[in-house]
Amino acid sequence: MNILSFFVLIPLLMLLGLWLAKSLNQVKGVMVTGASLLLLLAVYLTVDYISLRNAGETAEMLFTQSVEWYAPLHICYSVGVDGISVVMLLLSAIIVFTGTFASWKLQPLTKEYFLWFTLLSTGVFGFFISTDLFTMFMFYEVALIPMYLLIGVWGSGRKEYAAMKLTLMLMGGSAFLLIGILGIFYGAGGETMNLLEIAKLHIPSSMQYIFFPLVFLGFGVLGALFPFHTWSPDGHASAPTAVSMLHAGVLMKLGGYGCFRVAMYLMPEGTAVWGDFFLVLTTISVVYGAFSAIVQTDLKYINAYSSVSHCGLVLFALLMMTRVSATGAILQMLSHGLMTALFFALIGMIYGRTHTRDIRQMSGLMKIMPFLSVGYVIAGLANLGLPGLSGFIAEMTVFVGSFQNADLFHRVCTIIATTSIVITAVYILRVVGKILYGTCKNPEHLKLTDATWDERLAVICLIVAVAGLGLAPYWVSNVISGSVEPIISQLIR
Amino acid sequence: MDVTMIFSMQNELSLIAVLVIVLLADLILKRPNHKALQNLTCVLMLIHIALNVVPQTVDLFGGMYHSTPMASAVKTILSVGTLLVFMQSGQWLGREDTQHKAGEFYVLTLSTLLGMFFMVSAGSFVMFYVGLELASIPMACLVAFDKYRHHSAEAGAKFILNSMFSSAIMLYGLSFVYGTCGTTYFADLPQLLTGTPLQIMAMVFFFAGLGFKLSLVPFHMWTPDTYQGAPTPVSGYLSVISKGAAAFALMSILLKVFGNMVDNWSLLLSVVIVITITVANLFAILQENLKRFMAYSSISQAGYIMLAVLAGSEQGMSSLVYYIVVYIVANLAVFGVIGAVEQQTGGKVDRDTYNGLYRTNPKLTFVMTLALFSLAGIPPFAGFFSKFFVFASAFHSGYWIVVFLALINTIISLYYYLLIVKAMYITPSDAPVPTFRTPRMMRASLFLCLLGIVLLGICSGVFDWLTDLSVR
């Protein structure tokens, strides 16, 4: 059996295990075992992938396998990974692992919560390993729908509104996507659903012009493309901690990944025509998201708008269409996934103690909960791009790569987008100064305690990953840039 | 012609045998006999399904009766659906006021099913019309079965009047066909139907007549009232079985008989599809009564089914039948749960009744959730696959704008399906429906539906089988 299929099989077995679990301890046992296995599997896959590449393996995708599923429509269960999907799988595994610990004390209906959580991760893993359009789309939707119940039942604040809004907007995106996928399938002759095979065929230009914007928008909604980003602040603010982590950390990356791997890769002519239009939208996302974050007072809203800005940067870099910028985009996905998960984890832990996320009601937390506060500072610094942490590597690569696109319009966009770095610093430092430093004014807060072991585990894992990516970026960017090559060469042909 | 040839229509003959045995058993068995009758009918239906599981081609009475392998498969599928309905109707028929006429329910239902059998395997418009009427008239009795309840009687009246009205329109159209072509046989008609104005009129009238049965907008007015008033198992039967049969018949006749006029009917159908789905979805949002809600939901589902008809290809044919199969299991699961809750609470079918149901009846809620997800087309449930195949077939035939509009509509439909999910899981309730256990037959039926919802999509067997039949 193919190693990649385990990424779907393990979550499925976890679902079964959760279904049969009788007590809370059994539920947690299943989750920890499964999440650890997934993490080990992802690490093993990464190592294996790198050693295969070093051994001179040049195929575009490795570990490929294809099993016919619906023969009349040429639908196969086909899997395969390149460097981009490998790092995305690694990211997902880390976040699922830490997310499990971040929801350690969640009540009530713990079992049901983990059932939906695991179904969500099944979709995420399935999406990243698929190379078949249909299978990919199916896993994409599997990852979306559990969000409704996860936010609606276990969320906080205006959870029903937020859950419905998020689900409908994302499903709206997937409606665009479905028609786009049919367009690609029949445009390429209706003989194959496999991405790699379609890439070798030519889809008529007239069809590309119609279906490229549909597919790009479809994935773009999930990537928080302006003006379809409005689900993200509400959704993230209402979701329970681990769901925010998984959603901002991984699910939003499905958008960028899909835009790159499906929309741009398969429809280069469409990209050429529509690229500038979407570039303007992404530039707005980047700057507008950052400005919006400045004026928020709810910690989760700040981070959600910051995610809009940073995910905008992913799409922005992809549309710049140079090899370096595309590598930067993938690095940014990875880096943003890790640090935003760290952020949401910490916010959830702080909220669990203070019962408020309003920055005006918190101050001087550094003395009360030093571990969480230091974690928060590290996440903040990573977010504003301090060298040595992941954010710097990613944004540096993105902006250097973008500036390589010598066209005047692209340069102007790059310069505008660069301003977001400064704005990010403003909102991050503002929050850090306000809630962590100074003296604590709320006597209730003085009684609070610092992180417990499960929380520490989750936070430390994420900090190690963020710092690791920042200190030793070369091996990751190496893995990515090799795989970006075939897609970019398709685009600038 | 050899007399024994008649035995080749074994599908109908075995159904008639079931019908007669049930009728006799009802006379013989000591009352109250509803439990024994239910067991007997279900066993007989199982035997009937097992006998007819292999599809055959049959041509009888000089082409009057013509059953393709696909039609044969559809009959088996409809029988399975009917069996599921029978399994769900035990508790309702066990009630004081219906106990004594349980036998009538089975006999009437079986005779409508027989009508549908003749309808899908008709080789001539005369046979088709006879089948249609046989399917409609007992249906009206079924709708009005709870005759002491005001709603049910009203629903019956509405149903029979609309039914007759639509039959009259259809007959009028068919008279044009006969008038211009001089024959009613499907085998001879395609060459003669070339699209003269009178024939276009005939096609439109025929389409309008079947549009009533399928409850396409603007012929849908009777549907919500009828579904609301009819006993819940009958609403379920009406929404899947009779809709499925009519959709299949419409597709095969439009393709086979009006094949030369494809340009005329495809435009008509495109417009009707878009209006049907949109109107039904918008009205469904407003419904508080779940049975009315399911009526609008089933109208919009009919619109999606019509996409396969629009495709007008073999791919469309297999997608249509596959859609019907998936729709049967998902919709009957929903109606099963509605029926169970209705019996338990003494007739409550409002959405508020379902508030907080998850806390008291998690299993029932689980079935309902998966069924609603399947209806909304969420993977990995079967509804996602059936919707995808229907969209793909219409797209393949070039109707991508219609597909696009239908897809936008799936978002609206997701919204109202989620409203029920929300009621069951999220909305708090002071007095949720207390924990209860449904009868064994009902549980078995819901389990079968659940199995279908989960497995029909992931296992490609059924679709492959149907594709194989559609090209045969």
Side-chain angles (χ1 to χ4, degrees):
Chain A
M1 190 162 158
N2 191 304
I3 174 177
L4 296 175
S5 300
F6 282 106
F7 278 108
V8 177
L9 191 69
I10 293 175
L12 288 179
L13 290 177
M14 281 161 78
L15 283 177
L16 187 71
L18 290 171
W19 181 255
L20 298 175
K22 290 274 186 295
S23 68
L24 200 59
N25 280 335
Q26 283 179 4
V27 168
K28 287 180 177 173
V30 169
M31 282 309 291
V32 171
T33 319
S36 319
L37 278 178
L38 282 168
L39 188 59
L40 287 177
L41 188 65
V43 171
Y44 173 75
L45 177 75
T46 317
V47 173
D48 207 15
Y49 180 85
I50 294 174
S51 62
L52 273 177
R53 284 291 182 211
N54 287 340
E57 190 72 56
T58 52
E60 198 178 337
M61 293 267 184
L62 300 183
F63 308 108
T64 50
Q65 187 196 20
S66 193
V67 182
E68 198 164 65
W69 193 7
Y70 279 98
L73 281 156
H74 306 282
I75 292 170
C76 299
Y77 166 78
S78 36
V79 294
V81 283
D82 62 2
I84 307 174
S85 6
V86 166
V87 294
M88 286 296 123
L89 286 170
L90 189 59
L91 169 71
S92 317
I94 294 174
I95 307 235
V96 168
F97 181 75
T98 50
T100 306
F101 285 99
S103 31
W104 202 246
K105 296 197 190 68
L106 185 122
Q107 294 281 355
L109 301 174
T110 315
K111 177 174 160 178
E112 285 79 358
Y113 171 84
F114 280 121
L115 267 175
W116 291 111
F117 184 80
T118 308
L119 187 65
L120 178 65
S121 31
T122 315
V124 170
F125 286 114
F127 179 82
F128 286 129
I129 60 169
S130 298
T131 56
D132 179 279
L133 279 178
F134 178 85
T135 322
M136 203 171 184
F137 179 71
M138 186 189 86
F139 281 121
Y140 176 84
E141 289 217 331
V142 168
L144 296 189
I145 199 69
M147 289 301 291
Y148 179 74
L149 287 167
L150 284 171
I151 296 178
V153 178
W154 293 276
S156 57
R158 290 203 299 163
K159 55 183 187 175
E160 289 169 26
Y161 166 78
M164 193 60 100
K165 182 174 180 180
L166 178 140
T167 314
L168 292 186
M169 283 191 75
L170 296 184
M171 283 313 217
S174 76
F176 284 130
L177 206 53
L178 180 54
I179 189 96
I181 283 174
L182 288 173
I184 293 172
F185 174 57
Y186 286 113
E191 289 295 322
T192 173
M193 281 265 188
N194 194 302
L195 281 170
L196 301 172
E197 287 169 31
I198 293 177
K200 294 193 193 93
L201 304 166
H202 182 255
I203 301 171
S205 311
S206 56
M207 289 188 87
Q208 293 200 17
Y209 300 154
I210 298 173
F211 293 110
F212 173 77
L214 293 175
V215 176
F216 197 89
L217 264 184
F219 280 119
V221 175
L222 190 53
L225 178 70
F226 179 88
F228 303 106
H229 66 283
T230 54
W231 57 269
S232 150
D234 288 326
H236 288 152
S238 306
T241 306
V243 176
S244 295
M245 286 169 67
L246 197 61
H247 199 255
V250 183
L251 262 180
M252 285 172 87
K253 275 67 210 171
L254 261 60
Y257 181 89
C259 283
F260 195 45
R261 170 74 33 91
V262 180
M264 297 172 68
Y265 183 37
L266 302 183
M267 294 184 282
E269 289 166 46
T271 317
V273 171
W274 285 91
D276 292 354
F277 171 73
F278 284 114
L279 193 60
V280 173
L281 291 185
T282 55
T283 312
I284 296 175
S285 292
V286 172
V287 181
Y288 169 82
F291 271 115
S292 305
I294 289 187
V295 295
Q296 301 300 322
T297 54
D298 183 316
L299 280 177
K300 274 195 164 181
Y301 270 98
I302 295 175
N303 202 34
Y305 275 111
S306 149
S307 291
V308 171
S309 168
H310 284 108
C311 283
L313 208 53
V314 171
L315 296 180
F316 170 86
L318 290 176
L319 286 169
M320 281 294 171
M321 286 186 278
T322 68
R323 194 184 314 153
V324 178
S325 75
T327 309
I330 311 298
L331 277 175
Q332 171 75 358
M333 294 211 270
L334 197 57
S335 144
H336 173 256
L338 293 170
M339 63 196 190
T340 207
L342 179 56
F343 249 134
F344 275 122
L346 289 164
I347 292 172
M349 292 163 195
I350 293 174
Y351 175 67
R353 294 176 167 73
T354 59
H355 301 290
T356 177
R357 292 194 305 254
D358 193 328
I359 56 172
R360 289 166 300 190
Q361 294 175 13
M362 289 183 273
S363 55
L365 295 182
M366 184 61 97
K367 292 217 181 73
I368 302 163
M369 32 184 117
F371 181 84
L372 292 179
S373 305
V374 169
Y376 201 89
V377 172
I378 294 175
L381 293 178
N383 218 342
L384 58 78
L386 187 79
L389 297 171
S390 64
F392 172 74
I393 307 299
E395 292 190 2
M396 195 64 194
T397 321
V398 165
F399 288 121
V400 168
S402 304
F403 212 70
Q404 283 177 0
N405 194 328
D407 177 54
L408 178 67
F409 171 73
H410 288 82
R411 287 243 160 119
V412 171
C413 287
T414 310
I415 291 167
I416 295 173
T418 319
T419 58
S420 72
I421 302 180
V422 184
I423 312 168
T424 308
V426 174
Y427 63 75
I428 295 291
L429 295 178
R430 168 173 161 263
V431 171
V432 167
K434 207 148 193 168
I435 69 166
L436 300 184
Y437 294 100
T439 50
C440 182
K441 297 197 184 76
N442 189 336
E444 289 293 312
H445 287 182
L446 288 171
K447 295 176 211 147
L448 299 175
T449 51
D450 206 359
T452 54
W453 70 270
D454 45 278
E455 294 171 334
R456 279 172 202 255
L457 183 63
V459 170
I460 289 173
C461 279
L462 286 168
I463 291 180
V464 166
V466 168
L469 186 59
L471 294 172
Y474 189 65
W475 66 271
V476 186
S477 69
N478 217 10
V479 166
I480 295 168
S481 62
S483 302
V484 162
E485 186 60 40
I487 305 185
I488 289 293
S489 63
Q490 183 98 343
L491 283 167
I492 50 180
R493 194 167 43 186
Chain B
M1 193 178 121
D2 187 0
V3 179
T4 54
M5 285 272 289
I6 202 168
F7 291 117
S8 56
M9 37 191 288
Q10 55 164 325
N11 228 323
E12 283 76 8
L13 289 178
S14 70
L15 190 68
I16 291 171
V18 174
L19 200 155
V20 172
I21 297 173
V22 174
L23 185 64
L24 292 177
D26 185 31
L27 295 175
I28 296 163
L29 289 174
K30 227 179 0 200
R31 273 155 217 273
N33 59 8
H34 59 99
K35 279 202 184 114
L37 269 181
Q38 190 190 17
N39 294 337
L40 175 73
T41 320
C42 288
V43 170
L44 288 175
M45 281 305 279
L46 263 182
I47 297 171
H48 160 71
I49 292 163
L51 283 178
N52 296 295
V53 86
V54 182
Q56 290 159 326
T57 315
V58 188
D59 205 21
L60 276 179
F61 310 124
M64 184 69 102
Y65 174 96
H66 178 76
S67 183
T68 57
M70 200 58 159
S72 185
V74 168
K75 290 180 213 169
T76 312
I77 290 163
L78 296 178
S79 307
V80 174
T82 312
L83 173 64
L84 290 175
V85 173
F86 285 164
M87 290 167 79
Q88 294 181 354
S89 45
Q91 203 178 5
W92 162 63
L93 286 173
R95 239 172 36 189
E96 285 284 303
D97 57 330
T98 40
Q99 232 176 42
H100 60 284
K101 47 184 183 179
E104 292 166 32
F105 169 76
Y106 295 116
V107 170
L108 286 171
T109 311
L110 287 171
S111 57
T112 61
L113 187 62
L114 187 63
M116 288 167 208
F117 277 19
F118 281 116
M119 202 164 103
V120 297
S121 51
S124 133
F125 274 124
V126 175
M127 183 61 138
F128 176 77
Y129 182 73
V130 171
L132 188 72
E133 287 304 284
L134 182 54
S136 304
I137 295 171
M139 202 72 213
C141 309
L142 285 171
V143 170
F145 207 73
D146 282 346
K147 61 182 174 188
Y148 300 112
R149 273 178 53 219
H150 172 67
H151 278 310
S152 187
E154 179 195 323
K158 272 202 173 122
F159 183 82
I160 192 81
L161 289 177
N162 267 297
S163 201
M164 291 302 108
F165 183 57
S166 61
S167 298
I169 291 177
M170 181 188 289
L171 265 189
Y172 192 45
L174 297 184
S175 71
F176 289 165
V177 172
Y178 186 69
T180 52
C181 305
T183 176
T184 58
Y185 283 90
F186 293 168
D188 308 328
L189 278 171
Q191 303 88 332
L192 301 168
L193 286 167
T194 49
T196 61
L198 204 55
Q199 286 168 350
I200 292 177
M201 195 113 122
M203 184 271 291
V204 172
F205 280 3
F206 168 75
F207 180 77
L210 265 188
F212 271 103
K213 311 282 170 199
L214 280 163
S215 57
L216 301 174
V217 177
F219 316 114
H220 68 292
M221 301 297 181
W222 60 275
T223 320
D225 288 339
T226 306
Y227 280 38
Q228 185 188 2
T232 306
V234 176
S235 304
Y237 182 78
L238 202 57
S239 73
V240 291
I241 312 294
S242 79
K243 193 159 275 185
F248 179 77
L250 178 67
M251 176 149 194
S252 43
I253 290 178
L254 282 183
L255 279 193
K256 260 192 293 184
V257 182
F258 293 102
N260 285 331
M261 296 161 66
V262 60
D263 294 336
N264 304 93
W265 59 257
S266 61
L267 179 66
L268 174 75
L269 201 55
S270 308
V271 176
V272 168
I273 287 171
V274 174
I275 298 178
T276 301
I277 299 178
T278 314
V279 170
N281 276 344
L282 293 180
F283 277 82
I285 293 176
L286 303 171
Q287 305 307 320
E288 289 289 326
N289 181 314
L290 273 201
K291 276 161 85 178
R292 270 188 100 76
F293 164 83
M294 284 310 290
Y296 281 109
S297 143
S298 82
I299 298 172
S300 89
Q301 297 283 349
Y304 291 113
I305 297 178
M306 287 301 107
L307 277 173
V309 180
L310 184 64
S313 55
E314 273 136 15
Q315 190 190 351
M317 182 63 99
S318 51
S319 307
L320 176 118
V321 180
Y322 182 67
Y323 198 105
I324 293 171
V325 178
V326 172
Y327 180 54
I328 285 177
V329 288
N331 226 32
L332 285 182
V334 175
F335 273 107
V337 176
I338 293 179
V341 173
E342 187 187 12
Q343 294 306 326
Q344 187 61 32
T345 57
K348 282 191 191 157
V349 286
D350 286 336
R351 196 165 64 217
D352 298 344
T353 319
Y354 290 76
N355 287 351
L357 190 70
Y358 182 73
R359 311 267 168 166
T360 49
N361 294 292
K363 282 186 186 151
L364 219 50
T365 316
F366 183 69
V367 174
M368 183 83 157
T369 312
L370 295 201
L372 290 172
F373 280 172
S374 181
L375 286 177
I378 307 269
F381 309 116
F384 168 75
F385 295 85
S386 64
K387 275 218 169 79
F388 184 86
F389 296 147
V390 165
F391 289 142
S393 66
F395 193 101
H396 196 189
S397 304
Y399 300 100
W400 74 270
I401 294 183
V402 183
V403 174
F404 185 58
L405 294 171
L407 268 168
I408 300 291
N409 262 294
T410 56
I411 312 305
I412 308 178
S413 69
L414 180 64
Y415 171 70
Y416 58 69
Y417 290 126
L418 281 183
L419 284 182
I420 302 177
V421 175
K422 178 177 137 189
M424 295 188 300
Y425 284 90
I426 301 173
T427 315
S429 169
D430 303 333
V433 180
T435 309
F436 67 94
R437 234 174 134 71
T438 46
R440 200 183 303 125
M441 275 290 203
M442 175 66 107
R443 260 180 287 150
S445 140
L446 289 179
F447 180 74
L448 286 179
C449 290
L450 194 65
L451 221 54
I453 291 168
V454 175
L455 291 183
L456 278 174
I458 292 172
C459 307
S460 59
V462 173
F463 187 70
D464 289 343
W465 179 58
L466 293 173
T467 310
D468 184 41
L469 290 180
S470 71
V471 293
R472 233 199 267 166

